[in-house]
mmCIF file of all heavy atoms in Angstrom:
data_model
loop_
_atom_site.group_PDB
_atom_site.id
_atom_site.type_symbol
_atom_site.label_atom_id
_atom_site.label_comp_id
_atom_site.label_asym_id
_atom_site.label_seq_id
_atom_site.Cartn_x
_atom_site.Cartn_y
_atom_site.Cartn_z
ATOM 1 N N THR A 1 122.934 76.195 166.422
ATOM 2 C CA THR A 1 123.721 76.839 167.473
ATOM 3 C C THR A 1 124.346 75.806 168.405
ATOM 4 O O THR A 1 125.501 75.941 168.812
ATOM 5 C CB THR A 1 122.823 77.803 168.279
ATOM 6 O OG1 THR A 1 122.225 78.735 167.374
ATOM 7 C CG2 THR A 1 123.613 78.550 169.324
ATOM 8 N N GLN A 2 123.609 74.766 168.734
ATOM 9 C CA GLN A 2 124.129 73.713 169.604
ATOM 10 C C GLN A 2 125.287 72.970 168.931
ATOM 11 O O GLN A 2 126.280 72.637 169.577
ATOM 12 C CB GLN A 2 123.029 72.717 169.989
ATOM 13 C CG GLN A 2 121.993 73.267 170.936
ATOM 14 C CD GLN A 2 120.939 74.104 170.228
ATOM 15 O OE1 GLN A 2 120.830 74.132 169.005
ATOM 16 N NE2 GLN A 2 120.156 74.828 171.003
ATOM 17 N N GLU A 3 125.170 72.725 167.649
ATOM 18 C CA GLU A 3 126.244 72.040 166.929
ATOM 19 C C GLU A 3 127.493 72.918 166.847
ATOM 20 O O GLU A 3 128.611 72.417 166.971
ATOM 21 C CB GLU A 3 125.780 71.658 165.521
ATOM 22 C CG GLU A 3 124.764 70.538 165.524
ATOM 23 C CD GLU A 3 124.163 70.284 164.154
ATOM 24 O OE1 GLU A 3 124.122 71.215 163.312
ATOM 25 O OE2 GLU A 3 123.709 69.139 163.922
ATOM 26 N N LYS A 4 127.301 74.208 166.689
ATOM 27 C CA LYS A 4 128.449 75.119 166.699
ATOM 28 C C LYS A 4 129.124 75.125 168.066
ATOM 29 O O LYS A 4 130.356 75.124 168.161
ATOM 30 C CB LYS A 4 128.012 76.543 166.335
ATOM 31 C CG LYS A 4 127.754 76.727 164.877
ATOM 32 C CD LYS A 4 127.369 78.116 164.439
ATOM 33 C CE LYS A 4 127.377 79.215 165.426
ATOM 34 N NZ LYS A 4 126.884 80.492 164.906
ATOM 35 N N GLY A 5 128.345 75.119 169.112
ATOM 36 C CA GLY A 5 128.906 75.078 170.466
ATOM 37 C C GLY A 5 129.684 73.805 170.719
ATOM 38 O O GLY A 5 130.770 73.829 171.308
ATOM 39 N N LEU A 6 129.141 72.684 170.280
ATOM 40 C CA LEU A 6 129.827 71.409 170.448
ATOM 41 C C LEU A 6 131.116 71.374 169.641
ATOM 42 O O LEU A 6 132.155 70.932 170.129
ATOM 43 C CB LEU A 6 128.917 70.253 170.049
ATOM 44 C CG LEU A 6 129.496 68.847 170.229
ATOM 45 C CD1 LEU A 6 129.887 68.600 171.681
ATOM 46 C CD2 LEU A 6 128.489 67.811 169.751
ATOM 47 N N LEU A 7 131.071 71.872 168.423
ATOM 48 C CA LEU A 7 132.264 71.900 167.589
ATOM 49 C C LEU A 7 133.341 72.800 168.183
ATOM 50 O O LEU A 7 134.523 72.470 168.149
ATOM 51 C CB LEU A 7 131.914 72.348 166.172
ATOM 52 C CG LEU A 7 133.057 72.344 165.160
ATOM 53 C CD1 LEU A 7 133.659 70.951 165.043
ATOM 54 C CD2 LEU A 7 132.562 72.824 163.811
ATOM 55 N N GLY A 8 132.935 73.906 168.772
ATOM 56 C CA GLY A 8 133.893 74.812 169.396
ATOM 57 C C GLY A 8 134.555 74.235 170.625
ATOM 58 O O GLY A 8 135.674 74.613 170.977
ATOM 59 N N SER A 9 133.901 73.315 171.286
ATOM 60 C CA SER A 9 134.445 72.764 172.527
ATOM 61 C C SER A 9 134.924 71.323 172.425
ATOM 62 O O SER A 9 135.482 70.795 173.387
ATOM 63 C CB SER A 9 133.392 72.858 173.627
ATOM 64 O OG SER A 9 132.252 72.091 173.283
ATOM 65 N N ILE A 10 134.761 70.686 171.281
ATOM 66 C CA ILE A 10 135.073 69.259 171.183
ATOM 67 C C ILE A 10 136.554 68.969 171.390
ATOM 68 O O ILE A 10 136.914 67.944 171.975
ATOM 69 C CB ILE A 10 134.557 68.655 169.857
ATOM 70 C CG1 ILE A 10 134.546 67.127 169.922
ATOM 71 C CG2 ILE A 10 135.379 69.125 168.674
ATOM 72 C CD1 ILE A 10 133.516 66.562 170.838
ATOM 73 N N ALA A 11 137.436 69.866 170.962
ATOM 74 C CA ALA A 11 138.870 69.646 171.176
ATOM 75 C C ALA A 11 139.191 69.678 172.666
ATOM 76 O O ALA A 11 140.011 68.890 173.152
ATOM 77 C CB ALA A 11 139.692 70.680 170.425
ATOM 78 N N LEU A 12 138.529 70.564 173.397
ATOM 79 C CA LEU A 12 138.759 70.618 174.838
ATOM 80 C C LEU A 12 138.211 69.379 175.541
ATOM 81 O O LEU A 12 138.769 68.940 176.551
ATOM 82 C CB LEU A 12 138.142 71.889 175.418
ATOM 83 C CG LEU A 12 138.778 73.186 174.901
ATOM 84 C CD1 LEU A 12 137.999 74.389 175.382
ATOM 85 C CD2 LEU A 12 140.221 73.271 175.321
ATOM 86 N N ILE A 13 137.159 68.819 175.015
ATOM 87 C CA ILE A 13 136.647 67.558 175.558
ATOM 88 C C ILE A 13 137.677 66.462 175.336
ATOM 89 O O ILE A 13 137.915 65.628 176.212
ATOM 90 C CB ILE A 13 135.282 67.210 174.925
ATOM 91 C CG1 ILE A 13 134.238 68.237 175.341
ATOM 92 C CG2 ILE A 13 134.840 65.803 175.304
ATOM 93 C CD1 ILE A 13 132.920 68.155 174.594
ATOM 94 N N GLY A 14 138.337 66.461 174.179
ATOM 95 C CA GLY A 14 139.424 65.516 173.920
ATOM 96 C C GLY A 14 140.571 65.693 174.890
ATOM 97 O O GLY A 14 141.169 64.713 175.356
ATOM 98 N N VAL A 15 140.890 66.934 175.226
ATOM 99 C CA VAL A 15 141.945 67.215 176.210
ATOM 100 C C VAL A 15 141.567 66.642 177.565
ATOM 101 O O VAL A 15 142.379 65.977 178.229
ATOM 102 C CB VAL A 15 142.197 68.736 176.310
ATOM 103 C CG1 VAL A 15 143.048 69.080 177.512
ATOM 104 C CG2 VAL A 15 142.846 69.258 175.043
ATOM 105 N N ILE A 16 140.337 66.874 177.981
ATOM 106 C CA ILE A 16 139.882 66.374 179.279
ATOM 107 C C ILE A 16 139.929 64.850 179.322
ATOM 108 O O ILE A 16 140.332 64.256 180.326
ATOM 109 C CB ILE A 16 138.458 66.887 179.581
ATOM 110 C CG1 ILE A 16 138.505 68.388 179.826
ATOM 111 C CG2 ILE A 16 137.852 66.167 180.771
ATOM 112 C CD1 ILE A 16 137.150 69.051 179.857
ATOM 113 N N CYS A 17 139.553 64.213 178.234
ATOM 114 C CA CYS A 17 139.512 62.747 178.201
ATOM 115 C C CYS A 17 140.905 62.116 178.215
ATOM 116 O O CYS A 17 141.046 60.962 178.603
ATOM 117 C CB CYS A 17 138.749 62.269 176.967
ATOM 118 S SG CYS A 17 136.992 62.618 177.037
ATOM 119 N N SER A 18 141.926 62.852 177.788
ATOM 120 C CA SER A 18 143.245 62.227 177.651
ATOM 121 C C SER A 18 144.307 62.757 178.585
ATOM 122 O O SER A 18 145.425 62.246 178.585
ATOM 123 C CB SER A 18 143.730 62.388 176.212
ATOM 124 O OG SER A 18 143.982 63.747 175.925
ATOM 125 N N SER A 19 144.010 63.741 179.388
ATOM 126 C CA SER A 19 145.066 64.388 180.167
ATOM 127 C C SER A 19 145.772 63.442 181.136
ATOM 128 O O SER A 19 146.999 63.490 181.261
ATOM 129 C CB SER A 19 144.513 65.601 180.906
ATOM 130 O OG SER A 19 143.479 65.222 181.765
ATOM 131 N N GLN A 20 145.062 62.599 181.788
ATOM 132 C CA GLN A 20 145.704 61.661 182.710
ATOM 133 C C GLN A 20 146.528 60.608 181.969
ATOM 134 O O GLN A 20 147.596 60.205 182.415
ATOM 135 C CB GLN A 20 144.648 60.964 183.583
ATOM 136 C CG GLN A 20 143.910 61.898 184.502
ATOM 137 C CD GLN A 20 144.809 62.504 185.552
ATOM 138 O OE1 GLN A 20 145.701 61.870 186.064
ATOM 139 N NE2 GLN A 20 144.568 63.763 185.860
ATOM 140 N N LEU A 21 146.046 60.200 180.833
ATOM 141 C CA LEU A 21 146.723 59.180 180.039
ATOM 142 C C LEU A 21 148.114 59.620 179.605
ATOM 143 O O LEU A 21 149.084 58.888 179.740
ATOM 144 C CB LEU A 21 145.874 58.840 178.806
ATOM 145 C CG LEU A 21 146.526 57.920 177.778
ATOM 146 C CD1 LEU A 21 146.651 56.516 178.334
ATOM 147 C CD2 LEU A 21 145.745 57.946 176.487
ATOM 148 N N TRP A 22 148.240 60.843 179.078
ATOM 149 C CA TRP A 22 149.524 61.279 178.529
ATOM 150 C C TRP A 22 150.573 61.473 179.605
ATOM 151 O O TRP A 22 151.752 61.210 179.374
ATOM 152 C CB TRP A 22 149.344 62.546 177.695
ATOM 153 C CG TRP A 22 148.506 62.301 176.496
ATOM 154 C CD1 TRP A 22 147.365 62.942 176.165
ATOM 155 C CD2 TRP A 22 148.735 61.336 175.465
ATOM 156 N NE1 TRP A 22 146.855 62.433 174.992
ATOM 157 C CE2 TRP A 22 147.687 61.440 174.535
ATOM 158 C CE3 TRP A 22 149.713 60.373 175.234
ATOM 159 C CZ2 TRP A 22 147.591 60.647 173.405
ATOM 160 C CZ3 TRP A 22 149.616 59.580 174.101
ATOM 161 C CH2 TRP A 22 148.574 59.724 173.209
ATOM 162 N N GLY A 23 150.182 61.933 180.772
ATOM 163 C CA GLY A 23 151.151 62.048 181.864
ATOM 164 C C GLY A 23 151.718 60.693 182.247
ATOM 165 O O GLY A 23 152.929 60.531 182.424
ATOM 166 N N TYR A 24 150.842 59.717 182.356
ATOM 167 C CA TYR A 24 151.290 58.359 182.693
ATOM 168 C C TYR A 24 152.186 57.790 181.596
ATOM 169 O O TYR A 24 153.249 57.235 181.873
ATOM 170 C CB TYR A 24 150.077 57.447 182.913
ATOM 171 C CG TYR A 24 150.455 55.997 182.996
ATOM 172 C CD1 TYR A 24 151.055 55.484 184.139
ATOM 173 C CD2 TYR A 24 150.234 55.128 181.926
ATOM 174 C CE1 TYR A 24 151.423 54.146 184.214
ATOM 175 C CE2 TYR A 24 150.597 53.800 181.988
ATOM 176 C CZ TYR A 24 151.190 53.321 183.136
ATOM 177 O OH TYR A 24 151.566 52.010 183.206
ATOM 178 N N LEU A 25 151.753 57.907 180.342
ATOM 179 C CA LEU A 25 152.538 57.344 179.241
ATOM 180 C C LEU A 25 153.885 58.046 179.084
ATOM 181 O O LEU A 25 154.884 57.405 178.738
ATOM 182 C CB LEU A 25 151.752 57.415 177.932
ATOM 183 C CG LEU A 25 150.535 56.495 177.845
ATOM 184 C CD1 LEU A 25 149.804 56.717 176.527
ATOM 185 C CD2 LEU A 25 150.923 55.044 178.011
ATOM 186 N N ALA A 26 153.939 59.342 179.351
ATOM 187 C CA ALA A 26 155.207 60.070 179.274
ATOM 188 C C ALA A 26 156.178 59.584 180.341
ATOM 189 O O ALA A 26 157.378 59.441 180.084
ATOM 190 C CB ALA A 26 154.967 61.567 179.417
ATOM 191 N N ASP A 27 155.673 59.318 181.524
ATOM 192 C CA ASP A 27 156.536 58.782 182.579
ATOM 193 C C ASP A 27 156.976 57.358 182.266
ATOM 194 O O ASP A 27 158.083 56.956 182.588
ATOM 195 C CB ASP A 27 155.808 58.805 183.926
ATOM 196 C CG ASP A 27 155.654 60.209 184.469
ATOM 197 O OD1 ASP A 27 156.390 61.108 184.010
ATOM 198 O OD2 ASP A 27 154.797 60.403 185.355
ATOM 199 N N ARG A 28 156.125 56.617 181.629
ATOM 200 C CA ARG A 28 156.409 55.202 181.342
ATOM 201 C C ARG A 28 157.316 55.012 180.124
ATOM 202 O O ARG A 28 158.227 54.202 180.157
ATOM 203 C CB ARG A 28 155.072 54.483 181.110
ATOM 204 C CG ARG A 28 155.170 53.035 180.779
ATOM 205 C CD ARG A 28 154.916 52.187 181.990
ATOM 206 N NE ARG A 28 154.683 50.822 181.589
ATOM 207 C CZ ARG A 28 155.632 49.900 181.644
ATOM 208 N NH1 ARG A 28 156.824 50.189 182.065
ATOM 209 N NH2 ARG A 28 155.363 48.663 181.275
ATOM 210 N N PHE A 29 157.069 55.765 179.039
ATOM 211 C CA PHE A 29 157.780 55.539 177.779
ATOM 212 C C PHE A 29 158.720 56.673 177.375
ATOM 213 O O PHE A 29 159.361 56.587 176.330
ATOM 214 C CB PHE A 29 156.779 55.288 176.644
ATOM 215 C CG PHE A 29 155.948 54.065 176.864
ATOM 216 C CD1 PHE A 29 154.612 54.175 177.196
ATOM 217 C CD2 PHE A 29 156.508 52.802 176.767
ATOM 218 C CE1 PHE A 29 153.844 53.037 177.410
ATOM 219 C CE2 PHE A 29 155.742 51.666 176.977
ATOM 220 C CZ PHE A 29 154.413 51.786 177.310
ATOM 221 N N GLY A 30 158.766 57.722 178.150
ATOM 222 C CA GLY A 30 159.659 58.833 177.846
ATOM 223 C C GLY A 30 158.933 60.024 177.272
ATOM 224 O O GLY A 30 158.043 59.879 176.435
ATOM 225 N N ARG A 31 159.327 61.200 177.730
ATOM 226 C CA ARG A 31 158.656 62.421 177.307
ATOM 227 C C ARG A 31 158.867 62.712 175.829
ATOM 228 O O ARG A 31 157.953 63.119 175.130
ATOM 229 C CB ARG A 31 159.128 63.583 178.169
ATOM 230 C CG ARG A 31 158.572 63.499 179.568
ATOM 231 C CD ARG A 31 159.191 64.539 180.492
ATOM 232 N NE ARG A 31 158.670 64.393 181.838
ATOM 233 C CZ ARG A 31 159.052 63.465 182.702
ATOM 234 N NH1 ARG A 31 159.958 62.585 182.350
ATOM 235 N NH2 ARG A 31 158.527 63.406 183.905
ATOM 236 N N LYS A 32 160.090 62.520 175.348
ATOM 237 C CA LYS A 32 160.373 62.803 173.942
ATOM 238 C C LYS A 32 159.538 61.909 173.024
ATOM 239 O O LYS A 32 158.979 62.376 172.037
ATOM 240 C CB LYS A 32 161.851 62.618 173.640
ATOM 241 C CG LYS A 32 162.185 62.911 172.197
ATOM 242 C CD LYS A 32 163.654 62.690 171.918
ATOM 243 C CE LYS A 32 163.941 62.907 170.444
ATOM 244 N NZ LYS A 32 165.309 62.583 170.095
ATOM 245 N N ASN A 33 159.443 60.635 173.364
ATOM 246 C CA ASN A 33 158.661 59.704 172.541
ATOM 247 C C ASN A 33 157.197 60.117 172.476
ATOM 248 O O ASN A 33 156.583 60.104 171.399
ATOM 249 C CB ASN A 33 158.781 58.283 173.083
ATOM 250 C CG ASN A 33 160.173 57.735 172.959
ATOM 251 O OD1 ASN A 33 160.937 58.142 172.091
ATOM 252 N ND2 ASN A 33 160.522 56.824 173.835
ATOM 253 N N ILE A 34 156.642 60.489 173.608
ATOM 254 C CA ILE A 34 155.235 60.899 173.648
ATOM 255 C C ILE A 34 155.053 62.233 172.929
ATOM 256 O O ILE A 34 154.079 62.428 172.197
ATOM 257 C CB ILE A 34 154.729 60.970 175.106
ATOM 258 C CG1 ILE A 34 154.757 59.568 175.728
ATOM 259 C CG2 ILE A 34 153.338 61.578 175.178
ATOM 260 C CD1 ILE A 34 153.922 58.532 175.003
#
């Protein structure tokens, strides 16, 4: 059950880990490129 819970939420953990990065990179290198 714990592994199912982790698998169900792991993509959202990836979102949380990268959200600040993509905003910065989009401003720096262009939205279309990102």
